[in-house]
């Protein structure tokens, strides 16, 4: 019986129960819709993002669209140090009240900012001020020039730190597409006890020492180094710091692509060696929080990160926090030592923004409140303008951390951070091409490919160089990037 | 004509359009069109318009920061194809979709048969099976990200207990190309399995009982009935379930984006996540749209296959 072909009536019964003409239409249509929605989600710019209104203002009714005549809507990241957001939301609300404006503040995860911003620019509607923590250079054509705000800020508070300027200013078009008000150093965070055991109580000072010491710690204690090579910001910054310290760079000061150089190849080979001897494959899959978590969990001997990891440890694992100390950028073979600014907070004002004057006044007021902002970020944010009131206070706090560091001067090293920090486009500006290279993880993927043995350093650098050239060419055609090659 | 006749006639004349409207509504063509109208409008606005926009973008040099739209011909597609990562990205898309859906075919069939049987706590098991489908993709992917975290994953503990790895060692499930790909496949299987199971379960319940009874009377055992009757009868339904699964997996970017970020290196990068990185994160909307459009022929082909299949069966019936 079981060998018999399907009996007619049964077959018909099943077919009838599953498929009728209208269902055909719905079925095919459903597939097309599902597929097309997938396609358009990717192409159209609605990525996975979530937002919460943190201001608690009564005016949160407007959502992201439009904007009333007496309202400023601000989109910014959820700060790694939550106390900043708490302060900012209250401060912004109060500023609004005393200036006859309702300020609506929306915080979202920093990883969701690109998708959310792209969606708002596609809709030509949304927030009046959007803050990014990496240079928002790609949005230059559709944002207000903030030269007047910067000029006023310079006149009032002092010069803007050059690398902050080049994270918000395009020298090719001479436009301030953003208003950079703070930056964050990216020191080395190391576990003193572990490095003391290998004869480096003050931690490594060169990349070479990092390799020898890190490998020894891994061998003796089973504790790894944590320098990422994945699709996240810290990995991208680490790759740049290493390349710069070896004398290489993505572009020169005139915005010509220069990635494919013996120095970059050497740096990439070094990273592969560092991975094999002192790290584990976890670094290929990290998110921006992973190295923080590893350090706080006591599983990493050295990471490149801001002080947020340390602050987390202070709150969660005080014993580990006591053991965490900081180092400046590591020196490469030529003695060059540079680190990327970890976070560079810049506001952009889209062309659709209403109340432009009020928005500019808000930015100036935020700068005037930099003292409180820096304090409430628990010294995470450093001022981008050399306002003596703030820099003097900051120097004092770094010498004696008001947030209970042990010893109290643990953060003092960060007072020198300006000397060994630079923008992601170094030695040129953080132009849109640099932004695309950064955000599509060209350098961290290049490093990972070599470390995983997928390709040689020479090939990987040549391939990354080709990608960079393509990207530069495109933005150059839009007249947003200088240089010729 | 008497006054009464005149009134009756004018009332009849007035009533005619209303009747005509009522009759028109009773016609299948008119009523059908009216009822389909909102759905069609929805599709045009929510799917059609963005799709056309994506196609336009892919032939332009548009970026996230500028609404300026210059026709670029096929240059954008050339840029997309010449990217050194592109061939690997396409291969990963097919590998992840193919393996995950092959697993779904086997698992959904087993699950459907299990859930069709009578046992204690069946409703609870059904509830558990459906859970992944009710969980938003992004949330599910984040949960799996925590589960597979290099440091905090519980799988490290299990592997250490089973002596697969030594004390203090880690699996690094997302750090190795093979394991990361397997993890993405597992999550895609986990998330598309419930829908496939429900579809197959519905198909299973539609198999006439008399066929099975007849087979039993004829002495056919479980396996004979399974492979000789039930699975052949279910094949069209399984195919439909799998086709939906293919579409959902092929176009999904959230799992890869959240779980691996395309890494290690580009080992798990798929077309959808690649398009997102290029188009949204990188600001290169045109290339992002072009990358995404490479999925379109496959999806169109799938839709055609389903429609042909359905049409063929209709003719048969």
């Amino acid at each position: 019986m079981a060998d018999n072909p399907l009996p007619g009536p049964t077959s018909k019964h099943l077919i009838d129960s599953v498929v009728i003409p209208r269902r055909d239409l719905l079925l095919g249509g459903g597939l097309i819709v599902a597929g097309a929605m997938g396609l358009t989600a990717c192409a159209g710019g609605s990525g996975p993002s979530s937002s919460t209104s943190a201001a608690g203002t009564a005016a949160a009714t407007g959502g992201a669209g439009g904007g009333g005549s007496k309202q400023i809507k601000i989109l910014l990241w959820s700060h790694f140090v939550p106390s900043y957001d708490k302060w900012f939301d209250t401060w912004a609300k109060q500023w609004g009240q005393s200036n006859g404006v309702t300020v609506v503040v929306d915080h979202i995860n920093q990883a969701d900012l690109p998708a959310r911003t792209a969606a708002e620019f596609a809709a030509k509607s949304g927030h009046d001020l959007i803050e990014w923590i990496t240079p928002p250079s790609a949005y230059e054509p559709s944002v207000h020039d903030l030269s007047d705000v910067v000029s006023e800020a310079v006149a009032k508070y002092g010069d803007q730190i050059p690398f902050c300027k080049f994270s918000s200013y395009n020298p090719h078009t001479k436009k301030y597409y953003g208003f950079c008000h703070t930056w964050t150093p990216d020191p080395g965070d190391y576990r003193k006890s572990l490095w003391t055991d290998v004869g480096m109580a003050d931690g490594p000072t060169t990349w070479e020492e990092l390799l020898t010491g890190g490998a020894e710690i891994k061998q003796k204690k089973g504790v790894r180094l944590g320098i990422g090579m994945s699709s996240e910001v810290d990995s991208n910054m680490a790759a740049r710091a290493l390349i710069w310290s070896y004398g290489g760079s993505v572009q020169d000061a005139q915005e010509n692509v220069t990635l494919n150089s013996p120095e970059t190849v050497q740096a990439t080979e070094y990273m592969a060696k560092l991975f094999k001897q002192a790290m584990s494959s976890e670094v290929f899959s990290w998110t921006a929080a992973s190295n923080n978590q590893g350090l706080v969990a006591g599983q990493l001997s050295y990471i490149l990160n801001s002080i947020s990891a340390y602050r987390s440890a202070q709150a969660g694992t005080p014993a580990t926090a006591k053991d965490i100390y900081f180092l400046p950028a590591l020196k490469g073979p030529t003695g060059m030592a540079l680190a990327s600014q970890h976070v560079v907070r810049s506001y952009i004002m889209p062309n659709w923004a209403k109340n432009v004057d009020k928005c500019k006044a808000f930015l100036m007021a935020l700068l005037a409140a930099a003292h409180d902002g820096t304090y409430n970020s628990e010294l995470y944010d450093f001022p981008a303008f050399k306002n003596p009131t703030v820099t003097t206070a900051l120097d004092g706090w770094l010498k004696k951390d008001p947030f209970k560091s042990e010893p109290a001067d643990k953060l003092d090293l960060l007072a020198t951070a300006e000397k060994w920090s630079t923008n992601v486009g170094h030695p040129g500006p953080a132009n849109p091409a640099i932004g695309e290279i950064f955000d599509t993880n060209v350098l961290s993927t290049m490093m990972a490919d070599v470390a995983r043995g997928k390709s040689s350093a020479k090939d990987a650098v040549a391939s990354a160089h080709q990608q960079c050239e393509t990207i530069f060419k495109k933005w150059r055609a839009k007249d947003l990037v200088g240089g010729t090659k | 004509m008497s006054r009464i006749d005149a009134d009756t006639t004018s009332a009849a004349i007035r009533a005619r359009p209303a009747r005509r409207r009522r009759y028109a509504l009773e016609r299948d063509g008119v009523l059908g069109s009216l009822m389909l109208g909102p759905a069609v409008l929805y599709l045009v606005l929510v799917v059609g318009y963005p799709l056309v926009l994506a196609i336009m973008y892919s032939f332009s040099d548009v970026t996230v920061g500028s609404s300026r739209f210059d026709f670029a011909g096929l240059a954008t597609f050339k840029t997309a194809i010449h990217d050194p990562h592109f061939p690997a990205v396409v291969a990963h898309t097919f590998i992840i979709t193919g393996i995950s859906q092959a697993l779904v075919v086997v698992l959904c069939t087993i699950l459907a048969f299990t859930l069709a049987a009578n046992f204690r706590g069946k409703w609870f098991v059904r509830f558990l099976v459906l859970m992944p489908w009710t969980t938003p993709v992004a949330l599910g992917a984040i949960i799996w990200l925590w589960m597979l975290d290099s440091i905090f994953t519980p799988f490290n503990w299990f592997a250490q207990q089973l002596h697969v790895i030594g004390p203090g060692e880690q699996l690094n499930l997302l750090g190795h190309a093979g394991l990361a790909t397997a993890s993405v496949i597992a999550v895609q299987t986990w998330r598309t399995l419930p829908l496939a199971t429900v579809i197959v379960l519905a198909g299973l319940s539609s198999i006439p009982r008399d066929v099975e009874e007849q087979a039993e009377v004829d002495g056919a055992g479980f396996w004979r009935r399974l492979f000789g009757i039930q699975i052949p009868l279910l094949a069209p339904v399984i195919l439909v379930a799998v086709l939906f699964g293919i579409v959902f997996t092929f176009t999904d970017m959230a799992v890869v984006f959240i779980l691996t970020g395309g890494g290690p290196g580009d080992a798990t990068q798929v077309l959808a996540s690649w398009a997102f990185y290029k188009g949204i994160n990188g600001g290169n909307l045109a290339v992002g749209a072009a990358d995404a459009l490479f999925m379109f022929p496959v999806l169109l082909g799938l839709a055609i296959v389903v429609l042909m299949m359905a049409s063929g069966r209709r003719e048969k019936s």
Side-chain angles (χ1 to χ4, degrees):
Chain A
M1 165 66 201
D3 287 332
N4 288 351
L6 299 177
T10 307
S11 170
K12 185 176 185 309
H13 181 102
L14 178 64
I15 288 162
D16 283 347
S17 70
V18 176
V19 183
I20 60 169
R22 205 162 291 172
R23 286 183 188 182
D24 295 352
L25 180 71
L26 292 174
L27 190 61
L31 277 168
I32 293 169
V33 168
M37 286 180 99
L39 280 172
T40 50
C42 296
S46 58
S49 66
S50 62
S51 75
T52 52
S53 177
T57 57
T61 50
S69 58
K70 290 193 173 178
Q71 192 182 61
I72 295 177
K73 284 187 288 187
I74 301 169
L75 176 69
L76 74 165
W77 65 315
S78 296
H79 203 293
F80 291 140
V81 181
S83 56
Y84 178 90
D85 287 347
K86 210 172 160 191
W87 166 80
F88 179 83
D89 295 347
T90 310
W91 174 85
K93 186 181 171 186
Q94 284 169 354
W95 179 88
Q97 280 167 355
S98 53
N99 285 274
V101 186
T102 307
V103 180
V104 178
V105 183
D106 292 318
H107 293 275
I108 61 172
N109 186 303
Q110 56 89 17
D112 297 333
L113 269 171
R116 178 60 183 260
T117 310
E120 292 197 2
F121 274 78
K124 294 188 180 63
S125 165
H127 293 83
D128 303 295
L129 288 169
I130 300 172
E131 189 193 56
W132 271 43
I133 63 167
T134 53
S137 46
Y139 292 94
E140 182 183 331
S142 304
V143 297
H144 285 277
D145 187 352
L146 297 173
S147 300
D148 52 345
V149 185
V150 176
S151 301
E152 193 184 335
V154 170
K156 230 172 177 174
Y157 301 113
D159 286 341
Q160 190 177 26
I161 293 172
F163 57 75
C164 290
K165 174 180 173 178
F166 284 111
S167 297
S168 53
Y169 170 72
N170 187 340
H172 184 69
T173 57
K174 301 191 177 5
K175 178 174 177 176
Y176 277 93
Y177 53 84
F179 179 72
C180 172
H181 63 108
T182 73
W183 70 286
T184 300
D186 195 34
D189 307 18
Y190 77 106
R191 294 274 309 284
K192 199 176 185 70
S193 61
L194 295 170
W195 286 85
T196 303
D197 287 348
V198 296
M200 294 186 207
D202 294 329
T205 57
T206 66
W207 285 99
E208 205 47 49
E209 282 180 12
L210 183 76
L211 175 64
T212 50
E216 205 178 328
I217 292 170
K218 189 186 174 194
Q219 206 180 14
K220 281 184 179 169
K221 309 266 180 186
V223 181
R224 315 166 296 278
L225 289 180
I227 297 178
M229 283 183 265
S230 62
S231 308
E232 49 88 27
V233 288
D234 292 347
S235 299
N236 279 293
M237 287 165 193
R240 276 159 183 79
L242 176 62
I243 291 169
W244 293 328
S245 300
Y246 268 74
S249 61
V250 175
Q251 65 172 358
D252 61 19
Q254 287 73 43
E255 303 177 71
N256 298 300
V257 180
T258 56
L259 185 65
N260 195 356
S261 67
E263 290 82 9
T264 309
V265 173
Q266 213 185 337
T268 310
E269 281 167 349
Y270 167 86
M271 187 63 117
K273 218 191 300 179
L274 189 68
F275 163 71
K276 282 185 184 103
Q277 294 182 25
M279 298 200 273
S280 83
S281 54
E282 65 189 323
V283 297
F284 299 129
S285 61
W286 272 356
T287 65
S290 299
N291 56 4
N292 298 35
Q293 290 164 350
L295 187 75
V296 174
Q299 302 224 4
L300 299 172
S301 64
Y302 176 99
I303 65 169
L304 276 175
N305 211 323
S306 64
I307 61 166
S308 59
Y310 167 66
R311 293 294 190 212
S312 302
Q314 276 185 302
T317 52
T320 306
K322 268 186 199 171
D323 196 30
I324 296 173
Y325 282 75
F326 298 96
L327 290 167
L330 298 172
K331 288 180 192 146
T334 57
M336 170 95 80
L338 273 177
S340 174
Q341 54 194 81
H342 185 74
V343 157
V344 55
R345 301 181 62 182
S346 301
Y347 278 97
I348 50 173
M349 195 195 304
N351 284 339
W352 67 75
K354 296 179 177 70
N355 298 315
V356 170
D357 290 340
K358 286 286 184 192
C359 287
K360 288 179 177 177
F362 176 87
L363 294 177
M364 285 306 295
L366 183 61
L367 211 54
H371 177 280
D372 292 353
T374 301
Y375 184 85
N376 283 288
S377 73
E378 297 182 7
L379 316 188
Y380 182 92
D381 294 326
F382 280 30
F385 290 86
K386 300 222 167 185
N387 180 350
T389 315
V390 188
T391 52
T392 309
L394 178 61
D395 284 346
W397 292 329
L398 292 173
K399 277 192 179 72
K400 193 178 173 190
D401 182 11
F403 302 99
K404 297 177 183 168
S405 281
E406 288 181 44
D409 66 346
K410 188 178 264 187
L411 303 177
D412 194 26
L413 166 99
L414 300 182
T416 65
E418 193 186 320
K419 288 180 195 154
W420 42 264
S421 300
T422 190
N423 82 84
V424 292
H426 174 85
N431 57 43
I434 290 291
E436 184 175 339
I437 292 163
F438 190 96
D439 292 325
T440 53
N441 314 300
V442 174
L443 297 193
S444 55
T445 304
M446 172 187 87
M447 295 281 184
D449 282 349
V450 180
R452 291 168 55 229
K454 195 184 162 196
S455 63
S456 70
K458 239 178 177 173
D459 291 346
V461 172
S463 170
H465 182 93
Q466 183 213 320
Q467 292 171 62
C468 293
E469 276 187 333
T470 307
I471 291 168
F472 265 77
K473 200 175 154 191
K474 183 197 73 193
W475 290 105
R476 207 171 273 135
K478 291 188 170 292
D479 207 24
L480 290 171
V481 172
T484 52
K485 56 177 183 165
Chain B
M1 193 187 284
S2 70
R3 188 181 170 79
I4 292 171
D5 284 347
D7 286 350
T8 311
T9 309
S10 63
I13 290 167
R14 276 200 307 274
R16 228 176 271 156
R19 204 178 304 142
R20 219 177 285 144
R21 274 201 299 275
R22 200 169 60 240
Y23 287 146
L25 280 176
E26 280 170 9
R27 274 168 35 209
D28 274 359
V30 177
L31 184 64
S33 304
L34 271 176
M35 295 190 80
L36 270 177
V40 171
L41 187 68
Y42 171 83
L43 291 179
V44 167
L45 291 177
V46 179
V47 181
Y49 171 70
L51 185 62
V52 170
L53 204 61
I55 293 168
M56 282 167 64
Y57 280 176
S58 64
F59 288 98
S60 75
D61 63 350
V62 68
T63 67
V64 285
S66 170
S67 54
R68 198 176 128 184
F69 189 95
D70 292 326
F71 182 70
L74 292 172
T76 315
F77 287 96
K78 277 185 194 161
T79 306
I81 291 170
H82 287 145
D83 189 294
H85 298 284
F86 185 76
V89 169
V90 174
H92 301 152
T93 312
F94 280 95
I95 289 168
I96 289 170
T97 306
I99 298 178
S100 63
Q101 292 317 300
L103 287 170
V104 165
V105 170
V106 177
L107 295 175
C108 78
T109 310
I110 294 171
L111 267 177
F113 276 98
T114 308
L115 295 177
N118 284 322
F119 58 91
R120 249 172 104 108
K122 188 162 90 170
W123 68 270
F124 184 66
V125 177
R126 281 191 176 187
F127 168 75
L128 288 180
V129 168
L130 276 174
M131 278 288 276
W133 188 248
T134 59
T135 311
V137 187
L139 191 61
I142 288 171
I143 291 166
W144 277 106
L145 178 66
W146 292 344
M147 289 286 286
L148 301 172
D149 182 88
S150 59
I151 294 171
F152 304 108
T153 175
F155 295 116
N156 279 346
W157 184 84
F158 286 118
Q160 283 165 7
Q161 297 303 308
L162 295 169
H163 303 290
V164 176
I165 55 173
E169 285 181 16
Q170 297 173 320
L171 286 169
N172 288 334
L173 288 162
L174 301 177
H176 300 281
L179 289 175
T181 307
S183 300
V184 172
I185 289 170
V187 176
Q188 292 290 16
T189 306
W190 170 83
R191 128 189 140 78
T192 51
L193 184 60
L195 176 70
T197 305
V198 169
I199 293 174
V200 176
L201 192 59
L204 196 59
S205 62
S206 73
I207 296 177
R209 187 73 198 124
D210 56 344
V211 180
E212 288 210 47
E213 282 169 358
Q214 200 176 338
E216 277 173 36
V217 169
D218 287 351
F222 172 78
W223 297 109
R224 193 73 164 159
R225 290 203 309 278
L226 180 69
F227 290 106
I229 298 174
Q230 288 161 326
I231 289 186
L233 283 172
L234 280 176
V237 183
I238 293 173
L239 188 60
V240 168
V242 168
L243 285 170
F244 270 103
I246 289 173
V247 172
F248 289 136
T249 311
F250 202 80
T251 58
D252 176 66
M253 60 145 290
V255 171
V256 166
F257 186 77
I258 292 168
L259 205 60
T260 64
D266 65 353
T268 56
Q269 202 71 264
V270 293
L271 273 170
S273 59
W274 185 241
F276 187 81
Y277 271 113
K278 284 280 177 186
I280 306 300
N281 274 16
N284 199 343
L285 265 187
V287 171
D291 282 324
L293 273 183
F294 280 102
M295 291 186 274
F296 192 64
V298 175
L299 300 171
L300 192 65
L302 282 174
I304 290 169
V305 167
V306 172
L307 288 172
M308 281 172 64
M309 230 173 62
S311 156
R313 249 181 276 124
R314 193 171 63 244
E315 279 165 18
K316 250 179 162 182
S317 67

